[in-house]
């Protein structure tokens, strides 16, 4: 085969090795006189991947080679490692310690990302199953989420250490407020049993209600104390005395015998103190 003649940007004849021409880097095989193609070679500027196309020019962006995909910097053409990169077609991918494209949950920088096992694309705004079977929530930037997060029409809490969804727990949000999360992890509202008693959580703010007489989700009314616990027995509230059943927690009205003493409560539950 007749050898081709190659000249670099300075007009110097190239007999072999690395050279740059018209802004592209090449590697000339001294034996064949042809540019090397589809090979990863060491050069004076580092290891470069010389592609199949563009006459063997050093590649940039996502490139398939040796059974995997890699990403090469658009300026230096060096292989990128431990990084999230956007392909020329717009999708985002993760590349590991050795530069190979990643799948599953992986730590990059100081956080975690998840990458689709088939398409390799970064998972965003989704609750996804990891390669070890646990589920995690990933945000709009692909980063794993912690604390209180909105997802699928409700709110959930994700542990800041394990990143797992918390269930059956009263937890402090990243902004300082406390919320109750149920057996499926969703935030709770209305009357809820927790820690041996009952509390009421506002349907709009999700916050625990205190010192208030409120209507439950099934229509009955209950009184909740300063600490948020449901009230039973004798209590003074809003300037009057009431009695709440110790089993049903409902307010007494009419005539009742309590500990052998007869009491009269009006239709609003207020004690007629002349009856004591």
């Amino acid at each position: 085969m007749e050898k081709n003649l190659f000249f670099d940007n300075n007009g110097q004849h190239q007999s072999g090795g690395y050279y740059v021409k018209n802004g592209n880097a090449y590697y000339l095989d001294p034996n064949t006189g042809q540019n090397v193609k589809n090979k990863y070679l060491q050069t004076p500027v580092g290891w470069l991947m010389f592609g199949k196309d563009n006459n063997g020019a050093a590649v940039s962006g996502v490139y398939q080679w040796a059974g995997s995909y890699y990403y090469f910097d658009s300026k230096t053409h060096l292989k990128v490692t431990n990084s999230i990169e956007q392909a020329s077609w717009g999708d985002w991918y993760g590349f590991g310690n050795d530069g190979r494209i990643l799948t599953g949950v992986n730590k990059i920088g100081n956080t975690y990302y998840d990458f689709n096992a088939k398409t390799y694309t970064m998972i965003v705004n989704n609750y996804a199953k990891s390669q070890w079977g646990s589920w995690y929530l990933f945000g709009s930037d692909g980063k794993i989420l912690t604390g209180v997060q909105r997802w699928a029409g409700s709110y959930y809490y994700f542990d800041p250490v394990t990143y797992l969804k918390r269930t059956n727990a009263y937890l402090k949000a990243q902004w300082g407020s406390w919320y109750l999360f149920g057996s499926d992890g969703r935030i709770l509202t209305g009357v809820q049993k927790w820690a041996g008693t009952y509390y009421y959580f506002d349907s709009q703010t999700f916050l625990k209600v205190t010192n208030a007489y409120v209507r439950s989700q099934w229509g009955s009314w209950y009184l909740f104390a300063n600490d948020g616990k449901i009230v039973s027995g004798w209590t003074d509230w809003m300037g009057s005395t009431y009695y709440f059943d110790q089993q049903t927690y409902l307010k007494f009205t009419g005539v009742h015998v309590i500990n052998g003493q007869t009491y009269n409560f009006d239709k609003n539950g207020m004690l007629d103190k002349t009856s004591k």
Side-chain angles (χ1 to χ4, degrees), residues 204-215:
Q204 299 297 317
T205 67
F206 306 100
L207 296 171
K208 181 179 69 175
V209 169
T210 60
N211 197 32
Y213 187 56
V214 294
R215 187 178 183 181

Side-chain angles (χ1 to χ4, degrees), residues 244-263:
F244 292 86
D245 190 285
Q246 298 194 39
Q247 299 299 318
T248 67
Y249 304 100
L250 296 173
K251 179 177 63 179
F252 275 7
T253 59
V255 178
H256 288 269
V257 177
I258 303 171
N259 294 329
Q261 178 71 41
T262 300
Y263 298 90

Side-chain angles (χ1 to χ4, degrees), residues 45-67:
V45 296
W47 285 82
L48 301 181
M49 183 72 212
F50 297 94
K52 295 176 287 186
D53 303 318
N54 196 21
N55 199 29
V59 303
S60 63
V62 177
Y63 188 80
Q64 185 177 13
W65 178 68

Side-chain angles (χ1 to χ4, degrees), residues 78-91:
L78 296 174
K79 182 177 67 175
V80 170
T81 61
N82 294 314
S83 184
I84 303 290
E85 301 292 342
Q86 188 176 28
S88 57
W89 52 88
D91 291 326

